[in-house]
Amino acid sequence: MLPREHYLKQTFQDAVNFPEGFEKGGLSDVQARLIRKQGVLINALMQEEVSDPTNEDQHILKVIANQSAPKSPVEQAWVKYLAIVKTRQASSPAKTKAKPKAKTTEPKEAETKPKVAEAKPATKATRKAAKTEAG
């Protein structure tokens, strides 16, 4: 765990979801600036890696969890950022989500045993057919 100031010194980037930058990805210039400045801190807060979170930090976590409405410009920008990321991931799942592994299932007991011809009770039709074949 590191102090919040450590995370504020770093610039946030998301080359996967915003390869051309935040502004061209749907955020305003002000929102993009706020995301770049606060994004590393917000991610660290979400992962519980900040040793000294403030009340504002705690509030943004409530906003992210949909337990409170965004009040500050940073919170509003982060909510918009998350909405854009979610939309992009939903529209192109092949790029962002790992392909599910093929399921391996144990063969059922019936499948492991060789099939044996089932003995059916003789009906009139099968007895008559057997008699005509026999002669």
Side-chain angles (χ1 to χ4, degrees):
M1 290 187 117
L2 297 170
R4 71 187 307 275
E5 290 302 317
H6 169 79
Y7 299 104
L8 289 172
K9 293 176 185 175
Q10 300 175 38
T11 303
F12 180 72
Q13 296 177 357
D14 185 351
V16 173
N17 295 299
F18 294 86
E20 297 177 2
F22 294 120
E23 294 88 349
K24 291 187 179 181
L27 296 171
S28 71
D29 291 343
V30 172
Q31 290 171 329
R33 227 174 317 143
L34 291 169
I35 294 296
R36 278 194 291 273
K37 184 177 179 183
Q38 301 275 327
V40 175
L41 171 64
I42 295 169
N43 272 335
L45 287 167
M46 290 169 45
Q47 296 174 17
E48 299 178 359
E49 294 177 352
V50 180
S51 62
D52 57 345
T54 64
N55 289 338
E56 291 83 15
D57 295 340
Q58 297 297 332
H59 188 263
I60 197 164
L61 290 176
K62 288 181 181 180
V63 169
I64 293 167
N66 289 324
Q67 296 173 349
S68 185
K71 295 178 183 176
S72 71
V74 173
E75 293 170 349
Q76 293 167 348
W78 193 258
V79 168
K80 187 173 180 179
Y81 163 78
L82 291 177
I84 292 169
V85 169
K86 185 176 181 179
T87 300
R88 289 182 179 195
Q89 289 178 346
S91 66
S92 60
K95 290 183 180 179
T96 55
K97 293 181 182 176
K99 293 181 181 178
K101 292 183 180 180
K103 265 189 169 178
T104 56
T105 56
E106 294 293 321
K108 295 178 184 174
E109 185 177 327
E111 295 176 63
T112 58
K113 293 181 181 178
K115 292 189 176 184
V116 179
E118 296 177 16
K120 294 181 183 177
T123 62
K124 285 184 180 180
T126 55
R127 283 191 294 251
K128 188 175 181 181
K131 285 182 183 179
T132 55
E133 286 177 13

